[in-house]
Structures are given as structure tokens and as C-alpha cells.
Amino acid sequence: MLPSRMSSQSNKNLPQRKFVRMSQLPESHSDKILLAPPIGSTARRPMVFVIYYSMYGHVAKLASMIRVGVERAGCNCRVFQVAETLSTEVLTKMHVPSKNQEIPIITPTQLLEADGFLFGMPTRFGTAPTQMKAFFDACGAHWLSDALSSKPAGVFFSTATLGGGQETTALSCVPFFTHLGMIFVPLGYKNKLLMNMDEIHGGSPYGAGTLAGAQGERHPSELELQIAQTQGIEFGKLVLKLVSA
């Protein structure tokens, strides 16, 4: 038999491809979550810290949904801000709204109380902002003591535009995690909405994200908030496994 005829007959036996739109894909399996231990259980509920910097509120909204996901997974969760480094004068000129006074400012010493961390931040030219870097730089004692070694950490982020540095911002945090012996935990594609091509959105396998617009005029979409919740759920499930191992 001639090779061309063999190839033709083989192709006939292959299953035909079927293409679907992203909107037709099934929901993410992230709703299959671990239940929180029942009341009265002796099992210790792990503690996850969600630590963020948010200038105009975009990252703060993601942090709220991530907290929901972490708690749904069965972990305790506390939300913190990092300290501001800009002066009041500069913040006023930038028309930055007042910080949420109900969210406490994190100190490096408090990191010892948590079993895992999710850090949220806007990008600054494709990297972590000074406010978050200043907090990282204050963790020298943990570097020397290995106090945070083997603890998981993830990242979520905000950029003005598509291609504005969402993935590089996450990667800019990895050297900090590495030097402290922490384990970087990406989101992956646990939520298939990340593949949605029907609307513009932030987020990537590195973590949940939102697009703020050049003037900060855009707010996190429902799709972006769902991805943020998924990141909280999946991260919480992992922390539960590590603590109970």
C-alpha cells in the first residue's frame, strides 16, 4: 500500500476535533472544596494571612474575595495592609483615597503566627511596588532564623493594562520567597475562566489579577473576583494538607 493511502486511511480512524467557545466550558471544579472542621473538633484550623498594598482599592477588592475562598476551604484568615511609604503630600497630589482603617498594618514579627501567606499588590513598571518591597526588606530576622522556611506563599496583583506586568510582578516576589525558604504556590489553571476569550480580564496561572485602567477607572469584574476566590480556596486546601501532614 502506498504511504499516501495509508496516511489517508489512518486519518479517517482518528476522532474528529470539536471546538467550543470558552463560555460553553463547564464551571471550574474549585467548588469541590474541603469542609471546615465541625464545631468541637480538636483539629487545628490553619491560619492564612492575606497581606496587600492597595492604592486605589483594586487589590483590596481582590483580597476580600481571596479571604472568602480561604475561609471556605476551612482555614482561618486574617487580612493586613503593608505600611505606606509615600508622604501625605504626595498621596494628596495623586488623589489617593484614605486607607481602610479597619485593616491593620502588618509587622514582620506577626508573620510567625501564620501557616501560609497570600501577598497582593499593584505593579510598578512590571515589578512589586516599593511599599511591598520595604516590608520584604524588613524580614531579615526571618531570613537568618529560617522561621518561614517551607511555608507556602502566593501572589495576586493589579495592572493598568493587558501586558502591563501581571506575571513579572508575581515573579519579582519569588527571590524573596526563595531566600527565606518559602514555597511559591501559583494558581495554575484551577479556574478555567482564566482561559476566557470572550471578555478582557486580568489574572494568570501565577495568580488572580485585575486590570485597573490607566486612570484607575476600571474595577475588578465578576470574572476576576471569581478567579480570586478560587485562588483562596485552592491555597487554603493546600495549607490544610501541609498542616495536617
Side-chain angles (χ1 to χ4, degrees), residues 29-30 69 73 187 190 229-239:
H29 295 293
S30 295
L187 171 60
K190 286 289 187 177
Q229 184 173 348
T230 297
Q231 184 171 10
I233 291 172
E234 297 301 328
F235 188 84
K237 288 163 63 175
L238 175 66
V239 174

Side-chain angles (χ1 to χ4, degrees), residues 6-221:
M6 292 178 61
S7 175
S8 175
Q9 291 182 3
S10 299
N11 290 337
K12 292 180 180 179
N13 296 326
L14 292 175
Q16 291 190 0
R17 287 179 167 179
K18 182 180 180 181
F19 296 94
V20 297
R21 292 177 61 83
M22 289 304 306
S23 57
Q24 296 174 325
L25 287 176
E27 292 285 337
S28 167
H29 295 293
S30 295
D31 56 347
K32 297 180 179 179
I33 61 174
L34 298 177
L35 296 177
I39 297 176
S41 171
T42 58
R44 181 176 79 84
R45 287 170 63 98
M47 174 62 73
V48 173
F49 281 4
V50 176
I51 303 168
Y52 72 86
Y53 175 73
S54 186
M55 181 169 280
Y56 295 104
H58 301 84
V59 175
K61 288 185 179 180
L62 293 179
S64 296
M65 288 306 298
I66 283 180
R67 178 179 187 169
V68 170
V70 169
E71 292 178 340
R72 282 190 62 191
C75 295
N76 291 325
C77 184
R78 295 184 65 188
V79 180
F80 296 90
Q81 304 178 75
V82 298
E84 182 59 79
T85 60
L86 297 175
S87 67
T88 302
E89 180 183 3
V90 171
L91 293 172
T92 300
K93 290 181 178 179
M94 296 176 67
H95 306 288
V96 177
S98 300
K99 305 292 184 185
N100 185 346
Q101 299 301 315
E102 296 182 359
I103 306 296
I105 303 298
I106 187 74
T107 64
T109 304
Q110 289 176 290
L111 295 179
L112 301 175
E113 303 170 12
D115 300 295
F117 312 92
L118 285 163
F119 296 94
M121 66 204 75
T123 189
R124 290 296 179 267
F125 305 109
T127 188
T130 298
Q131 293 81 356
M132 189 62 71
K133 288 179 179 177
F135 177 73
F136 288 168
D137 289 347
C139 294
H142 300 326
W143 165 59
L144 290 173
S145 66
D146 295 323
L148 303 182
S149 181
S150 300
K151 291 191 177 184
V155 184
F156 56 102
F157 30 76
S158 170
T159 62
T161 61
L162 285 170
Q166 299 217 348
E167 295 185 350
T168 57
T169 300
L171 287 172
S172 72
C173 298
V174 173
F176 170 72
F177 301 152
T178 301
H179 281 264
L180 272 70
M182 302 168 76
I183 304 168
F184 175 49
V185 181
L187 171 60
Y189 284 96
K190 286 289 187 177
N191 191 323
K192 302 309 179 188
L193 290 175
L194 280 170
M195 298 181 181
N196 185 294
M197 297 293 287
D198 297 332
E199 65 177 273
I200 295 174
H201 62 85
S204 79
Y206 290 84
T210 186
L211 303 174
Q215 302 298 322
E217 69 278 7
R218 184 182 181 275
H219 297 281
S221 66

